[in-house]
């Protein structure tokens, strides 16, 4: 099974070093005040420097505007960005501004919240964002907020959303998130080919921000078999 793996919500050096040794593709640092896994930019800078492969890093943000996002990108020098806010115009503007400030191209992941169905408004949202993003991350949404809910999206809903991304731009990758653990991934094993990446966070923790390395190893082994 060929699927990329991101482990998000890293808060400490011990977890970071253990996870980097595994066969994973991205490591996420969350700088969002409402998150239980929020870490400061200073902490992110420190942790990122401990990585042997700096390309693994993803900066997870919920900025008020494009300027804030780009300032945090410049401060951390992390150019894989996962956004839980901003309009399509903001993303385009941030990408345009970045070319005058950095030699690195931004790789944009846009988080889109799903619940039980994909209606016309949600399809329009997916269409608009997939045209200006490198990756769409689908997570369960609660109270209009995505991330950290430890709740699965109904898999048929997630598949429908993924198909829409590929319909509108098949170059855009699709990530499945939302409380993923080994039991659930085993349950939906025959449907994982609809997604390019899985995002592991709350489903592989002992407490918020403290990863269970054994659980992550089991999932990596399962997905790489």
């Amino acid at each position: 099974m060929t699927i990329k793996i991101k482990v998000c919500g890293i808060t400490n050096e011990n977890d970071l070093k253990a996870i980097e040794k595994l066969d994973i593709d991205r490591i996420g640092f969350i700088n969002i005040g409402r998150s239980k896994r929020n870490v400061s930019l200073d902490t992110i800078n420190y942790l990122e420097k401990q990585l042997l492969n700096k390309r693994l890093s993803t900066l997870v943000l919920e900025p008020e505007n494009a300027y804030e996002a780009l300032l945090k990108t410049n401060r951390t020098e992390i150019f894989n960005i996962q956004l839980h806010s901003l309009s399509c115009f903001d993303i385009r503007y941030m990408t345009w501004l970045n070319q005058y400030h950095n030699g690195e191209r931004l790789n944009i992941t846009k988080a889109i919240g799903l619940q039980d169905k994909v209606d016309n408004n949600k399809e329009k949202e997916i269409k608009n964002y997939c045209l200006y993003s490198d990756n769409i991350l689908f997570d369960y949404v609660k109270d209009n907020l995505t991330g950290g809910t430890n709740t699965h999206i109904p898999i048929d809903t997630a598949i429908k959303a993924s198909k829409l991304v590929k319909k509108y731009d098949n170059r855009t990758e699709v990530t499945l998130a939302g409380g993923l653990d080994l039991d659930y991934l085993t349950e939906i094993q025959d449907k994982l080919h609809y997604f390019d990446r899985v995002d592991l966070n709350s489903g592989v923790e002992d407490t918020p921000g403290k990863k269970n390395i054994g659980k992550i190893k089991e999932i990596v082994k399962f997905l790489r078999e």
Side-chain angles (χ1 to χ4, degrees):
M1 183 183 303
T2 303
I3 190 166
K4 298 175 183 178
I5 302 170
K6 173 169 164 275
V7 182
C8 199
I10 305 303
T11 62
N12 63 86
E13 186 174 349
N14 288 339
D15 285 354
L16 179 76
K17 290 184 174 180
I19 291 167
E20 187 179 16
K21 293 177 182 178
L22 306 179
D23 186 10
I24 54 104
D25 303 278
R26 293 278 176 86
I27 288 175
F29 304 109
I30 298 175
N31 182 243
I32 299 176
R34 64 178 173 85
S35 174
K36 295 178 181 178
R37 300 157 190 87
N38 177 54
V39 284
S40 68
L41 293 184
D42 286 340
T43 299
I44 291 172
N45 274 330
Y46 172 79
L47 292 173
E48 206 261 346
K49 288 177 181 177
Q50 310 313 308
L51 283 171
L52 297 176
N53 181 3
K54 303 296 192 291
R55 298 282 178 176
L56 293 176
S57 300
T58 297
L59 183 61
V60 183
L61 301 173
E62 195 172 60
E64 293 186 3
N65 52 57
Y67 289 108
E68 180 187 343
L70 191 58
L71 285 171
K72 290 184 175 183
T73 297
N74 290 340
R75 182 170 168 185
T76 59
E77 297 185 347
I78 297 175
F79 298 95
N80 297 317
I81 309 298
Q82 179 176 315
L83 296 168
H84 287 254
S85 60
L86 298 189
S87 67
C88 292
F89 173 81
D90 288 325
I91 292 174
R92 291 173 63 190
Y93 187 46
M94 181 175 64
T95 303
W96 179 79
L97 281 175
N98 180 69
Q99 67 183 326
Y100 297 103
H101 290 270
N102 299 297
E104 289 274 355
R105 175 186 176 275
L106 291 178
N107 184 281
I108 303 292
T109 294
K110 180 64 176 72
I112 294 180
L114 296 176
Q115 286 187 328
D116 298 327
K117 63 180 181 179
V118 178
D119 58 18
N120 290 337
N121 287 334
K122 186 59 66 173
E123 179 172 352
K124 183 178 179 181
E125 180 184 1
I126 291 169
K127 177 181 179 180
N128 289 340
Y129 277 115
C130 76
L131 297 177
Y132 301 106
S133 306
D134 300 281
N135 180 51
I136 298 294
L137 180 144
F138 291 117
D139 203 347
Y140 192 84
V141 61
K142 183 178 181 181
D143 299 327
N144 294 318
L145 299 173
T146 55
T149 64
N150 199 28
T151 303
H152 306 318
I153 303 167
I155 191 60
D156 290 340
T157 301
I159 290 171
K160 181 177 180 180
S162 178
K163 287 180 176 179
L164 287 171
V165 172
K166 299 302 183 180
K167 171 185 174 182
Y168 291 118
D169 191 339
N170 62 15
R171 298 168 300 176
T172 304
E173 292 190 329
V174 180
T175 296
L176 178 66
L180 303 182
D181 57 19
L182 182 59
D183 288 343
Y184 185 65
L185 290 171
T186 302
E187 179 184 332
I188 63 170
Q189 179 177 5
D190 61 338
K191 299 177 180 179
L192 287 174
H193 64 278
Y194 289 103
F195 308 97
D196 300 291
R197 179 182 285 110
V198 293
D199 188 288
L200 308 178
N201 193 349
S202 56
V204 294
E205 290 183 327
D206 293 323
T207 57
K210 182 67 184 74
K211 304 305 179 190
N212 185 309
I213 304 302
K215 289 182 178 180
I216 298 172
K217 286 181 178 179
E218 288 178 343
I219 289 176
V220 171
K221 180 180 179 182
F222 167 70
L223 293 176
R224 298 301 186 229
E225 287 179 344

